[in-house]
Amino acid sequence: MDDEAPKTIKLRAEDNAWFLLATLYRRPAPDDRELQSKNCQAWNRYMANAISRDSRQKLVGGGKYSAEELNPSPGSEIELFFWKRHKQAGSAASTALPKVEPWRAIDFSIDFSNLEFDEPLYLDRFFFPSLITFERASFSRSADFRNTAFAGPDYFKDVDFSEPAHFERAALFDFTFYGATANFERATFSDSATFGGANFSGGANFEGATFSEHADFNGANFSRRCQFRRHDFLGSHLRGRKLLRTCQFRWRKILRRRQFRAREFFVERRDPLAVAADCHDRHFPPRDLFRTRLFQRRNLLRSHFRGSDLLQRG
């Protein structure tokens, strides 16, 4: 008797209507920035229909997008191009352009789940106004989410990234939704994963995620609860302001061969730090919390502590 769970059947990316819309003018080559930008602008202008005028002004005022990039375009402007892209790809998806309800981002979702991305995916500076899911998708080539704005919840659960995954300066939950979580539960990063400068305005869940190569969170900002439980870092350096603020670290592997630098907060950690804590020449602002910490190996604390810095049971 076969006790193995059935494997999820992966779909060709071109058989997904949302993917056809994201690559409206064909898949761009790595060096074809003009085509990448053209696809991005068509997507963003169409998605701009889903948010209010005030929300568009907020994005423009923040300097992330220009007014032209978020000038809402009706579906009639791109329906012909969508039909041509569908025909060119030999797609099995519906020939109907995915519908975006005016000002109703909360009422629809963008679904890229169970897709096989066998070529590089370029979503640099794309705007996603609603819930978006890549659950169980496989990226056999690189994935570019740099400078991408996720206004709603995003799900990368059980995603397999075989090549570099780029999330530098991505903005997660910028304004539309409140209290949602960026979910990377059980995601596998077989190559480098870069989240440098990413802003997690909502929660972040990396529970069970595996980082086999370089994991770069340099300058990432976690504003709310962040979970890294039951995951493996197999050779990475975690650095950056506010990197670990309000995080919960509960399993020993979380800090395996880690170096933490610059204003890290180790709060409510339940297992001892089994590696050296490198705080060499670090500056800690008032009320840096190292409660119930147990350092088992050589710890370098040649640092400046000001205010009520707590080193209880250290």
Side-chain angles (χ1 to χ4, degrees):
M1 180 176 178
D2 188 4
D3 294 331
E4 292 185 3
K7 294 183 178 180
T8 301
I9 298 176
K10 304 295 184 183
L11 303 177
R12 196 174 64 115
E14 286 85 352
D15 292 333
N16 178 279
W18 291 105
F19 177 77
L20 296 179
L21 180 58
T23 57
L24 188 65
Y25 301 105
R26 302 176 68 95
R27 281 187 167 186
D31 58 347
D32 194 343
R33 296 298 298 173
E34 183 178 352
L35 181 54
Q36 293 174 29
S37 179
K38 191 176 180 181
N39 283 336
C40 179
Q41 182 163 327
W43 174 280
N44 289 348
R45 289 193 60 204
Y46 187 51
M47 292 298 138
N49 288 289
I51 59 176
S52 68
R53 183 177 183 179
D54 289 343
S55 295
R56 292 197 300 271
Q57 290 177 343
K58 182 177 179 179
L59 284 170
V60 172
K64 197 170 187 65
Y65 299 100
S66 68
E68 180 182 1
E69 289 176 295
L70 293 182
N71 180 28
S73 65
S76 58
E77 286 191 10
I78 60 175
E79 281 179 333
L80 178 59
F81 294 102
F82 182 82
W83 181 82
K84 288 181 177 180
R85 176 72 175 101
H86 188 285
K87 183 178 179 181
Q88 176 268 326
S91 178
S94 169
T95 56
L97 180 69
K99 186 175 293 186
V100 174
E101 296 293 337
W103 292 28
R104 300 295 295 176
I106 200 170
D107 288 344
F108 73 94
S109 60
I110 301 168
D111 190 357
F112 290 98
S113 60
N114 299 316
L115 296 186
E116 172 65 52
F117 296 97
D118 57 359
E119 293 186 26
L121 180 65
Y122 299 100
L123 297 179
D124 182 2
R125 301 191 74 256
F126 273 57
F127 171 60
F128 298 108
S130 63
L131 183 152
I132 181 171
T133 177
F134 284 87
E135 289 190 55
R136 299 176 300 278
S138 297
F139 293 84
S140 56
R141 301 293 301 275
S142 61
D144 188 351
F145 293 92
R146 279 177 279 208
N147 303 293
T148 300
F150 298 89
D154 58 285
Y155 292 92
F156 289 87
K157 292 173 61 177
D158 299 301
V159 170
D160 183 12
F161 294 97
S162 298
E163 290 202 356
H166 298 278
F167 288 85
E168 294 99 311
R169 300 173 300 281
L172 298 101
F173 313 126
D174 235 13
F175 58 86
T176 306
F177 293 76
Y178 177 78
T181 298
N183 198 323
F184 289 83
E185 188 176 353
R186 296 186 302 274
T188 300
F189 298 88
S190 300
D191 209 309
S192 61
T194 50
F195 289 83
N199 183 31
F200 293 83
S201 299
N205 183 7
F206 287 85
E207 182 173 351
T210 299
F211 297 81
S212 298
E213 296 294 336
H214 181 65
D216 183 4
F217 286 78
N218 185 31
N221 181 20
F222 294 87
S223 300
R224 297 184 183 276
R225 185 180 183 184
C226 173
Q227 297 188 60
F228 279 87
R229 295 182 294 175
R230 295 194 294 273
H231 74 294
D232 287 320
F233 284 96
L234 304 177
S236 308
H237 298 281
L238 300 182
R239 300 178 297 173
R241 289 172 64 92
K242 299 183 180 179
L243 172 60
L244 304 175
R245 189 171 185 177
T246 70
C247 296
Q248 294 187 358
F249 295 91
R250 299 181 181 177
W251 286 63
R252 182 168 309 211
K253 286 184 179 180
I254 188 68
L255 295 178
R256 188 177 182 183
R257 294 189 294 277
R258 297 287 67 71
Q259 292 185 7
F260 293 91
R261 303 179 181 178
R263 297 183 68 175
E264 285 88 17
F265 298 78
F266 302 96
V267 182
E268 296 181 0
R269 190 181 157 72
R270 297 183 181 179
D271 63 303
L273 290 176
V275 296
D278 182 359
C279 299
H280 184 79
D281 291 331
R282 297 277 70 82
H283 170 73
F284 294 83
R287 297 191 64 82
D288 291 293
L289 308 178
F290 285 78
R291 294 188 184 129
T292 65
R293 296 291 68 73
L294 175 60
F295 294 91
Q296 292 186 324
R297 290 176 57 182
R298 185 170 176 235
N299 304 297
L300 307 177
L301 296 172
R302 196 180 309 167
S303 308
H304 301 285
F305 292 85
R306 299 188 308 175
S308 53
D309 299 295
L310 306 180
L311 291 171
Q312 300 172 14
R313 294 171 54 189

